[in-house]
Amino acid sequence: MNDELERLRGRAVLVAGAGVSGRATIEPLTALGAHVTVTDRNERALAECAALGARTVDLDSLVDDPAALREFALVVTSPGFPPDAPLLSRAAGAAIPIWGDIELSWRIDRAEVYGPARRWLVVTGTNGKTTTTMMLHAILEAAGLGSVACGNIGLPVLDALRRDEPRADVLAVELSSFQLHWAPSVRPEAGVVLNIAEDHLDWHGGIENYIEAKLGALTGAVGVIGLDDPIAGGLGDRSRAVVTVGFTLGYPQEGELGISGELLVDRAFADSAVLARVDDVTPPGPAGLSDALAAAALARAIDVPASAVHDGLRRHRVGPHRAAPVGQVDGVEYIDDSKATNPHAARSSLLARDRVVWIAGGLLKGARVDDLVAEVAPRLSGAVLLGRDAGEIADALARHAPQVPVVVVDTGDDEAMTDATSETDTASVRRVAAPGADGPAAMRVAVREAAALASPGETVLLAPAAASLDMFADYAERGRSFASAVEELRGGGTQP
């Protein structure tokens, strides 16, 4: 065991955050001999941590008593805590080391606490992380390698390390910018930055800090960058990987993976090796193909044969809430892309369809929507907006797509509904009152309004371009609410 972990024996460690990632740290830290305290504002989550043997303390009481931090030798933070959170600011001011749960996972794995160290293949980017990670996992399985998909995808890395059967020798690790920020020691066997667009700027304090966090994936033996993305494609000079390669939807140059005709081709790790056919990839379209090339690049970086890339991509199926069809009513197709939680992700879905009634809104997290609206305006048959930042999207539509009819679902609880600028006071904007409605109820109203705007052959697309936490537990609940509302339409048999 390395010295830094050994020093935790008999010392107090504070875990900031009692969610899934925080709970996953309790058993490993206890096994290292640390005395674990978990802090949070969620009493139910703290009770679950107490049942696992941790001491617990309310977050506000800890923040109000800075002297209480002095007992701790280490703070392990959940990714939701930004660097300027009062608790972490005070810990840093007291010279207490701060690790993220991924940093702890990496150090535990390198120390071989749970057996020989694994090979980490890291996936990050603004959009496409989960799809790429699951494609990579499918490829690794097709190659006969013990693999598990973990990290931001849902399964904490520490839980993946602790699994005895089946043992995972290769980890397909999805990492967010939050996780990478708090994990400076991670050096993956290979890592990819898929793309970079404005997202989580409120957490990072600006785009440059966001980019710097993403660069944490390009620190190992092989770095992979999405060459078609304006920002990610320019990271080659900033990559700290031993070797950096790229992928493109065009014909690949030497050192790249790309597409030749109907074939996915590798010119980075071989001399024009054919990996798969375009129609082997699900989901179809540019976003799916980019994700497939990225997953293939990571797998090829550890010598996975081309045949396994082919077999894995053929087996992969898209997960829920990622441009998933949920039904057709009166000739209108309904698509759930609730995972499109920022404008960059919504763009891919909107550009993949000719005529769209767009359901959008939620928490924009500091991202701008004007460029997106201007680009997709010719495809819009209508827009239905809900959530706290609906007013910002309505304003952008008024500026760049004044001909598009817009419906704003007003629950009476969102500041954006009352503070929207006068730009939205046009004949093309109609407000529908749904006072006091919760998220699912508001979504039912939104789907009914979208159905009324759509014509046969068009698509009603839930691609919110915003986070869900103002009205829903998460993007999955938002997607389920959308699907349920569509099912109600189907049961009615006619458009409202």
Side-chain angles (χ1 to χ4, degrees), residues 235-286:
L235 295 181
D237 292 341
R238 299 176 64 180
S239 172
R240 299 191 294 276
V242 177
V243 175
T244 301
V245 303
F247 64 90
T248 174
L249 293 179
Y251 184 80
Q253 302 302 310
E254 186 176 350
E256 299 174 2
L257 292 83
I259 296 177
S260 174
E262 294 299 311
L263 302 175
L264 279 65
V265 176
D266 174 14
R267 298 192 66 201
F269 304 99
D271 183 13
S272 299
V274 174
L275 303 175
R277 295 186 59 81
V278 167
D279 57 11
D280 289 331
V281 176
T282 304

Side-chain angles (χ1 to χ4, degrees), residues 298-464:
L298 293 178
R300 296 287 284 165
I302 61 168
D303 298 323
V304 168
S307 58
V309 175
H310 171 267
D311 293 345
L313 290 177
R314 283 181 61 86
R315 294 175 189 175
H316 171 264
R317 290 295 177 267
V318 68
H321 317 302
R322 295 170 175 82
V326 298
Q328 189 173 96
V329 182
D330 293 343
V332 175
E333 186 177 23
Y334 291 78
I335 300 292
D336 168 17
D337 198 14
S338 183
K339 189 63 169 63
T341 57
N342 57 66
H344 188 269
R347 175 182 181 273
S348 296
S349 277
L350 288 162
L351 293 179
R353 290 156 184 89
D354 293 329
R355 296 297 297 171
V356 174
V357 176
W358 181 27
I359 299 180
L363 299 173
L364 286 172
K365 304 170 291 182
R368 295 169 297 181
V369 293
D370 281 80
D371 290 348
L372 169 65
V373 170
E375 184 175 11
V376 304
R379 299 171 184 266
L380 298 180
S381 296
V384 181
L385 310 176
L386 69 167
R388 195 187 74 183
D389 292 336
E392 290 190 40
I393 303 174
D395 286 351
L397 286 160
R399 287 191 289 272
H400 303 291
Q403 77 286 355
V404 174
V406 177
V407 177
V408 177
V409 179
D410 186 351
T411 64
D413 297 326
D414 302 306
E415 293 180 6
M417 299 303 175
T418 57
D419 295 343
T421 75
S422 60
E423 292 179 74
T424 60
D425 296 330
T426 69
S428 63
V429 176
R430 182 165 56 90
R431 295 178 181 274
V432 176
D438 60 11
M443 183 62 75
R444 286 196 294 273
V445 174
V447 168
R448 289 199 301 269
E449 293 295 331
L453 291 172
S455 300
E458 295 183 341
T459 298
V460 170
L461 172 67
L462 173 65

Side-chain angles (χ1 to χ4, degrees), residues 4-5 8 12-26 28-30 32 34-40 59 62 69 72-81 87-88 91 96-108 158 182:
E4 289 174 312
L5 293 179
L8 298 180
V13 173
L14 178 66
V15 175
V20 173
S21 62
R23 288 196 300 272
T25 68
I26 295 173
L29 285 169
T30 301
L32 292 171
H35 304 303
V36 182
T37 296
V38 181
T39 188
D40 203 305
L59 177 60
L62 192 60
L69 286 174
F72 297 108
L74 173 70
V75 174
V76 178
T77 181
S78 299
F81 283 79
L87 177 68
L88 302 186
I96 300 171
I98 302 171
W99 297 353
D101 65 296
I102 298 300
E103 179 76 7
L104 176 64
S105 304
W106 175 261
R107 291 173 183 262
I108 284 176
L158 283 168
W182 293 118

